[in-house]
Amino acid sequence: MSIVVVGSVALDSVETPAGSVEAALGGSAVYFATAASFFQTVVRLVGVVGDDFDQVHVDFLRDRGVDLTGLERVAGGKTFHWKGHYLQDLNVAQTLATELNVFGDFQPKLPETYRDSDYLFLANIHPTLQLQVLRQMHAPRLKVCDTMNLWIETTRQELLQTIREIDVLILNDGEARQLTGESNLIRAAHAILALGPSRVVVKKGEHGAFTLTQDSFFAAPAYPLEQIVDPTGAGDTFAGGFMGYIVSAQDLSEQSFRKAILYGTVLASFNVQDFSLNRQRHLTYPEIEERFEKLAESMRI
Ligand code: AMP
């Protein structure tokens, strides 16, 4: 089974209380694809880079089995660059710079081999790009979308159009409040269902995540960690674990979505333990299963 993902492929400069990195591998599509690649699924990536994007990053993704037919390289162009820092509150990134560079005039053209995929993930990127990719897919079984505060603020109408056409919206608590104007998160989640999706997943950083439909509710805690090195990519990694499980299980039942929330939580818990994708580089599937069991056990009464 395969999943198509469109999102940013980035070089990130990040500072946290634990240290900093310059122009490290990042981007919503990269975190997502890497996390999803731990499951029995082929991830087909759509994105664009400049010629400053090192071949070692391409090799890393290829070694993880990610299909890069849809990754364009623009000669003379510069890769998307995000610069951010986290001060006291590790749940909230402060953006210092967003340089779209080659994403500024990217016109995604989906390879023919991608169009029949059953699953689609619209990772965080300009909502018009998300919509362009969605429109080129034939008939995906499940369309899932993520976004961020920048797009809610600056491209609200385009984002609402994308949200109307998807099945599941994944976003964090602050974004859910910002999108709906509701401060109560349950009201916010219901308001999101009224915008089109049949399911919403709300991430609350160290306080876990919940998923809600018209007739179901499920909440999970975050995996308990004593130290967080770099929260960057936690949301995209969560989505990668969540979708990786759903696609490999090929099961869209409530029970399956509940397990997916736990897998997303576990993948994100590994990612925050090092900068960039460094923890995922040497992560193994048995380690994922071990944390999944511990988390599931902690929820039993
Ligand atoms: P997360 O911490 O999961 O919300 O996502 C962090 C990743 O999002 C970083 O690797 C950034 O490169 C990427 N990112 C930051 N701002 C944007 C943006 N405006 N559009 C797309 N990707 C972004």
Side-chain angles (χ1 to χ4, degrees):
M1 272 295 136
S2 64
I3 179 162
V4 169
V5 57
V6 61
S8 55
V9 178
L11 296 174
D12 289 342
S13 300
V14 177
E15 191 182 344
T16 79
S20 62
V21 285
E22 280 294 316
L25 178 62
S28 55
V30 171
Y31 281 109
F32 176 88
T34 306
S37 73
F38 284 95
F39 296 83
Q40 293 296 319
T41 169
V42 177
V43 185
R44 305 195 194 285
L45 188 145
V46 182
V48 63
V49 294
D51 43 26
D52 55 347
F53 194 73
D54 209 304
Q55 185 61 31
V56 294
H57 301 323
V58 175
D59 293 342
F60 164 68
L61 290 167
R62 196 162 280 140
D63 289 349
R64 291 243 32 104
V66 177
D67 184 343
L68 299 174
T69 317
L71 179 67
E72 226 182 88
R73 189 185 277 273
V74 176
K78 273 187 76 184
T79 302
F80 176 92
H81 178 231
W82 178 73
K83 184 171 179 177
H85 65 187
Y86 302 80
L87 301 172
Q88 297 303 51
D89 185 357
L90 285 170
N91 285 312
V92 186
Q94 312 283 328
T95 293
L96 301 172
T98 301
E99 296 157 21
L100 287 180
N101 298 329
V102 288
F103 267 104
D105 35 36
F106 181 49
Q107 299 280 332
K109 182 156 179 352
L110 237 59
E112 265 315 313
T113 49
Y114 280 28
R115 296 179 190 225
D116 274 337
S117 287
D118 276 334
Y119 298 87
L120 173 66
F121 186 71
L122 305 170
N124 174 30
I125 194 66
H126 194 297
T128 301
L129 290 179
Q130 294 181 319
L131 207 57
Q132 283 173 2
V133 168
L134 190 153
R135 294 267 161 81
Q136 293 176 60
M137 294 289 291
H138 288 156
R141 259 182 98 189
L142 187 74
K143 295 165 274 186
V144 183
C145 176
D146 186 10
T147 190
M148 75 179 290
N149 53 4
L150 175 71
W151 308 121
I152 299 173
E153 248 165 68
T154 61
T155 55
R156 191 180 180 82
Q157 289 316 315
E158 294 91 327
L159 180 61
L160 289 174
Q161 181 60 43
T162 303
I163 291 174
R164 261 195 289 281
E165 300 195 24
I166 52 130
D167 304 302
V168 180
L169 182 65
I170 304 186
L171 73 187
N172 70 31
D173 43 5
E175 293 156 359
R177 292 188 171 108
Q178 187 189 5
L179 180 64
T180 60
E182 297 283 358
S183 59
N184 176 291
L185 278 182
I186 302 299
R187 286 181 70 97
H190 278 292
I192 288 168
L193 296 184
L195 298 175
S198 55
R199 175 180 295 276
V200 57
V201 176
V202 179
K203 299 163 291 174
K204 301 181 294 170
E206 64 184 313
H207 303 298
F210 71 84
T211 180
L212 180 146
T213 67
Q214 282 307 353
D215 47 31
S216 69
F217 176 84
F218 175 75
Y223 189 85
L225 291 176
E226 290 196 17
Q227 206 211 351
I228 287 166
V229 172
D230 178 12
T232 308
D236 314 305
T237 304
F238 174 97
F242 178 88
M243 289 304 295
Y245 174 74
I246 291 284
V247 178
S248 65
Q250 290 190 58
D251 178 356
L252 303 184
S253 67
E254 174 64 23
Q255 174 70 7
S256 177
F257 279 111
R258 291 180 178 198
K259 278 190 175 174
I261 294 277
L262 264 60
Y263 278 108
T265 301
V266 165
L267 264 296
S269 77
F270 283 110
N271 196 69
V272 300
Q273 291 188 291
D274 205 340
F275 283 97
S276 180
L277 286 107
N278 295 341
R279 182 62 184 92
Q280 291 202 62
R281 285 180 198 277
H282 59 96
L283 181 62
T284 62
Y285 192 75
E287 290 178 305
I288 295 172
E289 280 297 316
E290 193 189 330
R291 277 198 186 174
F292 177 91
E293 290 305 328
K294 277 195 186 153
L295 191 61
E297 181 55 36
S298 79
M299 295 174 70
R300 254 168 229 131
I301 52 164

